[in-house]
Amino acid sequence: MSGNEAGLNFSNACITAKEVWKKYGPNEALKGLSLNIQCGDRVALIGPNGAGKSTTLKILAGLLKQDSGEVLIRGHEPNTLEAKKMIGYLPEDASPYLTLSVRENLEYIGAIRETTNLAERIDMLLDLLELRDYEKSRTSRLSRGNRQKLALALAIIHEPEIILMDEPLNYLDIPTQERVISFLMKSRATFLVSTHIMSIAERLTSKCIIISAGLKVWEGTIPDLRKGEPVDTPIESIVARLMTNAV
Amino acid sequence: MLYKVLKLLIKTRFSPSFFVMIFLLIFYSIISLVDGGQRNISLIGSIYFGFIITVFITISIILGGVSVTKSDQEFLLVSAIKRRDMVLPLFFAQFLASGLLMLAAALVAIVELYRGSPLLIIALVDVVLLTLFSVSSGIALSDRPLYMRIPIAALSVLWILSPYLGFRYGAISFLATDPYYSLITVLPVTVLSLVGAALVLSGENLPFRVSGMRRQARDFRKTSTYAGLSPAIAIIKLGITQVSIASRSSSLGNIRATARRVQFTTFLYAFTIAAILYAVVVAKLNSSDSYIPIFSGFGFNIYALILVLYGGSAPQMMMSSGAMAYERAWLSLTSMEPGRYINTLIISKMLQAALAGIPLSAANIALHFIGIKGTLGAIPVFEIVSPFTVGVYLFMAFSVRPYQMKDENYIPARFSATQFIMVFPLFMFYGIAFSTMFYLPSLIATVPLMALVTALILTRQRYWERRVNKMVEAGFI
């Protein structure tokens, strides 16, 4: 069923979720979550632990199937090949293939994603993430930070149009964080980034969706969050209040 | 405190279903005890027993270590509990995971061998001590390098199998002689090994020994390239040329992750050496007794049967097990359709199993042409039945809640009864392999059956889409 048949407005929507429910056994992770993210948008997905952020990203990446509701990636269901080609997904605490080297990981995933200009793309990512010295290294021997760099490179190796990232800057040192932020900001991709760190949300995204207990509780731009608040109020306090009030 | 630690370890490492399975196995052995009868050492029974003991102890020595979970290392081992209070719980928990399984597997054979004999108790003491040796030797050698472990493992194998060379005090000489003779060496060796294990477990540097067990170079000496390959060729190249070892150390039942890979060519060399040794030994030992006729004009060679028993399934399944444990759903299954990816992966491992069997098949062809009867049946076993078994094994491994190795040196999953389901492909292998060995024309029936099952496995596109959901829900990411 296409988006139009479902009665949704997908004019320029990259990610659309309507009334999505997901249960793990008796626990409801998502309780009718709806999202509508336009192409080119950079959106932070914020919420307390257990709010359903990671579940949302896994459903959008096609790794989990919602119990009910509809999810579309530019009009395609997430588990279709068309959607998979558009998406780059980075889970939290991502672990690449431990028995491959850094370069083998990139070449292997690049090959199965049928990436064009793979060699150039790998070279660019190795330099950007300062992994050049580790090309032949066993992934199992990498530090947690370098493993995260490799995971990030693997998520974007095929120049995805839509990037789903769960705490992407975890474990990265500050200079690498700066390079990654700068690189992502230059990209034309649509982002949905799950994070707890508001400073990252502010720098990497322009919009913000706050979810709590499986429901969307607030949506808007980051300047909107500050509206009506004293200038010196930390943004974390504002977000915390929104989350608490929602519960 | 000792009891509390033990309770914690048991609760966090084992599901009740694991113990149910183990006790069912032991119960079967006890039931066999009351059956009466005479002492009956069958050839197959003693081969089975020798095989179990040799494999468990060798794997324990080469890959063994202190088996702990990540939480154990990060919280339990650094907590303010006296180290000596942890020795027994840690050892006992490890024994429950691996030793008990070995004991259950070995008891079935030993009770059968000593049924009705007054020497059963001594034989049982021998077996229990060997089980303790298996667990404790792995712990005692915790962070020792491989070059030290391999000679110790070789010595142990020699000790275990020495009765076949005429040494009456060998570890399993009770299969042929008085079990008191075995006890003379088994008791001191086990005590020594237990002391070594106790020293490791009571040492203040235990947390470092757990995390620092591996000493590998940072870089691979040899790497492969996948750039420019189509998706299917990339998967098949990786699947065939690399063997990821998802080691189950400290004996087969105890899973501790080590991210190792071995080039397939190394395995091929090992299989080639094994094939040459096999051919030479069979050619030398061949006699009229070694050929056992079954039906009109058909029969098997006892040595070819032993080869199939030892080398037809376990190595191939070991070579495939890492394909599941090291898989990454967030990378592969978001890159292409899950069904297409998993099917191609399964095909690559089936091809790898068929390639690995070529030297052993060639050895059997050579033996046939020099006039040794009953060896041809081993060829379809290695070239058809083994790859088929690998296909079924991987299908089941991905279907039955698979465990995933994300951190090294730790137990990656709780022990539960579901792991015993993976014995099913092994039984299936023996059923088809032995029917092929005993009566070659049985292939007329089994080949179409295997082709049908393989086709069913490789056409489950929608099944894998649903399955991925379950795998990811269970934490396979």
Side-chain angles (χ1 to χ4, degrees):
Chain A
M1 184 166 62
S2 73
N4 288 335
E5 286 166 343
L8 297 168
N9 176 17
F10 293 153
S11 52
N12 193 29
C14 262
I15 300 171
T16 313
K18 188 184 175 192
E19 284 290 314
V20 174
W21 289 74
K22 179 69 189 172
K23 267 184 173 181
Y24 297 110
N27 303 321
E28 287 178 326
L30 298 180
K31 299 173 191 168
L33 181 75
S34 295
L35 302 171
N36 193 352
I37 296 172
Q38 302 300 300
C39 290
D41 276 359
R42 291 163 180 180
V43 180
L45 188 62
I46 294 165
N49 297 327
K53 303 185 297 294
S54 295
T55 299
T56 305
L57 293 186
K58 283 175 187 165
I59 289 173
L60 296 175
L63 286 172
L64 278 181
K65 182 87 180 156
Q66 69 275 18
D67 298 328
S68 64
E70 187 178 38
V71 177
L72 294 171
I73 305 294
R74 292 193 68 175
H76 302 281
E77 289 192 4
N79 60 355
T80 58
L81 190 59
E82 290 83 0
K84 285 176 193 289
K85 283 183 175 171
M86 283 184 259
I87 289 176
Y89 169 59
L90 176 70
E92 192 177 10
D93 285 334
S95 172
Y97 287 100
L98 293 182
T99 53
L100 298 185
S101 72
V102 168
R103 192 174 189 95
E104 284 173 335
N105 260 291
L106 292 164
E107 287 192 0
Y108 182 63
I109 292 304
I112 66 171
R113 281 204 172 269
E114 299 181 89
T115 309
T116 49
N117 302 324
L118 181 58
E120 290 88 351
R121 187 81 185 151
I122 290 173
D123 283 340
M124 187 276 290
L125 289 168
L126 287 174
D127 291 333
L128 172 79
L129 296 162
E130 292 190 334
L131 286 170
R132 181 67 71 182
D133 289 345
Y134 300 94
E135 264 183 272
K136 290 178 82 174
S137 291
R138 297 164 198 269
T139 302
S140 59
R141 301 276 285 147
L142 292 180
S143 67
R144 198 65 196 82
N146 282 332
R147 226 183 259 199
Q148 180 71 4
K149 289 182 194 174
L150 174 59
L152 188 60
L154 289 164
I156 57 174
I157 183 91
H158 57 298
E159 289 189 82
E161 291 172 45
I162 299 167
I163 304 176
L164 310 170
M165 293 182 283
D166 204 342
E167 300 291 357
L169 305 185
N170 270 1
Y171 309 109
L172 298 186
D173 54 48
I174 292 167
T176 310
Q177 286 189 18
E178 289 300 311
R179 277 197 308 280
V180 169
I181 289 171
S182 157
F183 172 76
L184 290 174
M185 292 305 287
K186 282 184 215 153
S187 149
R188 285 184 300 172
T190 306
F191 304 154
L192 181 59
V193 183
S194 164
T195 183
H196 288 292
I197 304 164
M198 285 311 298
S199 59
I200 290 171
E202 276 189 291
R203 292 192 58 195
L204 205 52
T205 62
S206 51
K207 290 184 182 169
C208 175
I209 294 173
I210 299 176
I211 65 171
S212 185
L215 276 168
K216 183 166 70 183
V217 294
W218 192 87
E219 182 176 3
T221 63
I222 290 179
D224 284 347
L225 265 176
R226 293 190 182 277
K227 270 185 192 162
E229 297 286 343
V231 184
D232 56 350
T233 309
I235 195 160
E236 286 81 3
S237 303
I238 303 167
V239 171
R241 200 181 324 125
L242 280 167
M243 289 177 189
T244 314
N245 290 345
V247 177
Chain B
M1 185 52 74
L2 190 144
Y3 170 74
K4 279 183 182 170
V5 175
L6 183 60
K7 192 175 166 190
L8 171 83
L9 292 180
I10 290 175
K11 279 204 159 196
T12 51
R13 294 187 192 185
F14 304 97
S15 75
S17 63
F18 175 80
F19 293 115
V20 170
M21 278 304 298
I22 294 283
F23 284 109
L24 276 176
L25 273 169
I26 293 175
F27 183 68
Y28 169 78
S29 307
I30 293 167
I31 291 294
S32 308
L33 259 178
V34 295
D35 196 24
Q38 295 300 305
R39 185 180 177 203
N40 172 29
I41 298 181
S42 69
L43 179 64
I44 295 291
S46 65
I47 286 173
Y48 166 76
F49 186 82
F51 176 71
I52 293 281
I53 298 285
T54 310
V55 167
F56 271 62
I57 290 179
T58 307
I59 291 179
S60 177
I61 291 174
I62 291 181
L63 299 167
V66 182
S67 294
V68 293
T69 62
K70 199 161 188 278
S71 309
D72 288 342
Q73 194 191 8
E74 288 172 355
F75 302 107
L76 180 69
L77 298 188
V78 294
S79 61
I81 300 173
K82 282 178 188 160
R83 194 67 73 206
R84 66 166 183 268
D85 285 341
M86 282 196 217
V87 174
L88 270 177
L90 282 170
F91 183 84
F92 190 62
Q94 194 149 335
F95 180 81
L96 288 178
S98 54
L100 203 58
L101 185 71
M102 176 179 166
L103 193 62
L107 273 180
V108 177
I110 205 70
V111 167
E112 180 66 25
L113 295 173
Y114 275 86
R115 202 189 315 165
S117 165
L119 293 172
L120 175 66
I121 296 294
I122 305 302
L124 285 177
V125 171
D126 276 325
V127 175
V128 171
L129 286 174
L130 281 172
T131 315
L132 289 170
F133 171 70
S134 170
V135 178
S136 56
S137 58
I139 297 173
L141 293 167
S142 260
D143 52 355
R144 299 296 168 207
L146 207 57
Y147 67 80
M148 190 188 275
R149 290 166 182 253
I150 287 173
I152 294 173
L155 272 177
S156 298
V157 170
L158 194 66
W159 173 53
I160 294 164
L161 301 179
S162 59
Y164 295 114
L165 305 171
F167 181 61
R168 68 200 302 200
Y169 304 106
I172 57 168
S173 52
F174 53 82
L175 295 174
T177 59
D178 197 317
Y180 283 109
Y181 287 126
S182 308
L183 207 56
I184 288 170
T185 57
V186 171
L187 184 63
V189 168
T190 305
V191 168
L192 200 67
S193 161
L194 283 169
V195 170
L199 286 174
V200 168
L201 295 176
S202 60
E204 285 305 319
N205 57 352
L206 178 65
F208 313 110
R209 299 188 87 159
V210 170
S211 60
M213 276 184 287
R214 300 187 60 236
R215 289 174 190 159
Q216 277 187 312
R218 191 193 78 169
D219 291 354
F220 284 115
R221 271 185 301 174
K222 190 179 173 191
T223 55
S224 302
T225 182
Y226 302 93
L229 301 180
S230 69
I233 298 296
I235 298 164
I236 286 175
K237 181 177 178 181
L238 176 63
I240 290 180
T241 58
Q242 304 285 336
V243 179
S244 302
I245 306 289
S247 75
R248 291 157 171 259
S249 63
S250 303
S251 298
L252 288 175
N254 198 357
I255 308 162
R256 182 172 60 83
T258 55
R260 283 186 187 278
R261 81 171 190 198
V262 182
Q263 297 290 330
F264 175 64
T265 45
T266 308
F267 271 82
L268 208 53
Y269 292 140
F271 274 99
T272 305
I273 292 167
I276 292 167
L277 287 174
Y278 160 78
V280 170
V281 169
V282 173
K284 276 196 175 279
L285 295 180
N286 185 49
S287 68
S288 56
D289 291 345
S290 52
Y291 179 70
I292 298 164
I294 298 284
F295 296 116
S296 54
F298 290 99
F300 65 91
N301 186 294
I302 186 70
Y303 300 113
L305 188 73
I306 292 170
L307 172 77
V308 164
L309 187 77
Y310 277 91
S313 57
Q316 289 82 349
M317 282 160 66
M318 189 189 86
M319 283 160 53
S320 309
S321 62
M324 170 260 299
Y326 294 113
E327 191 46 74
R328 296 291 179 255
W330 73 275
L331 285 171
S332 56
L333 306 184
T334 58
S335 299
M336 57 197 291
E337 297 99 328
R340 194 172 153 225
Y341 183 83
I342 294 173
N343 287 343
T344 315
L345 185 70
I346 290 175
I347 290 168
S348 73
K349 288 297 169 190
M350 289 172 77
L351 288 171
Q352 190 185 56
L355 289 170
I358 286 175
L360 293 162
S361 299
N364 281 293
I365 292 172
L367 290 170
H368 174 75
F369 280 112
I370 63 168
I372 295 172
K373 288 166 67 179
T375 51
L376 278 183
I379 299 161
V381 171
F382 283 105
E383 298 309 321
I384 300 173
V385 188
S386 283
F388 168 69
T389 307
V390 164
V392 174
Y393 172 77
L394 278 177
F395 177 78
M396 286 184 63
F398 278 107
S399 298
V400 179
R401 189 177 173 172
Y403 66 89
Q404 193 177 31
M405 291 190 176
K406 292 180 191 166
D407 295 295
E408 284 192 275
N409 297 331
Y410 303 111
I411 303 169
R414 280 177 95 202
F415 298 96
S416 76
T418 50
Q419 72 188 64
F420 291 96
I421 296 173
M422 298 314 294
V423 178
F424 168 76
L426 205 60
F427 288 147
M428 188 201 64
F429 169 81
Y430 286 125
I432 304 174
F434 287 165
S435 74
T436 309
M437 293 291 291
F438 295 156
Y439 187 59
L440 206 53
S442 67
L443 283 171
I444 295 167
T446 53
V447 165
L449 191 69
M450 285 187 279
L452 179 69
V453 173
T454 308
L456 284 173
I457 286 174
L458 297 179
T459 51
R460 304 289 89 193
Q461 298 287 339
R462 301 290 298 174
Y463 169 78
W464 290 119
E465 280 175 24
R466 293 193 302 272
R467 184 67 208 142
V468 168
N469 194 38
K470 296 280 177 205
M471 284 160 65
V472 174
E473 275 188 15
F476 191 100
I477 185 80

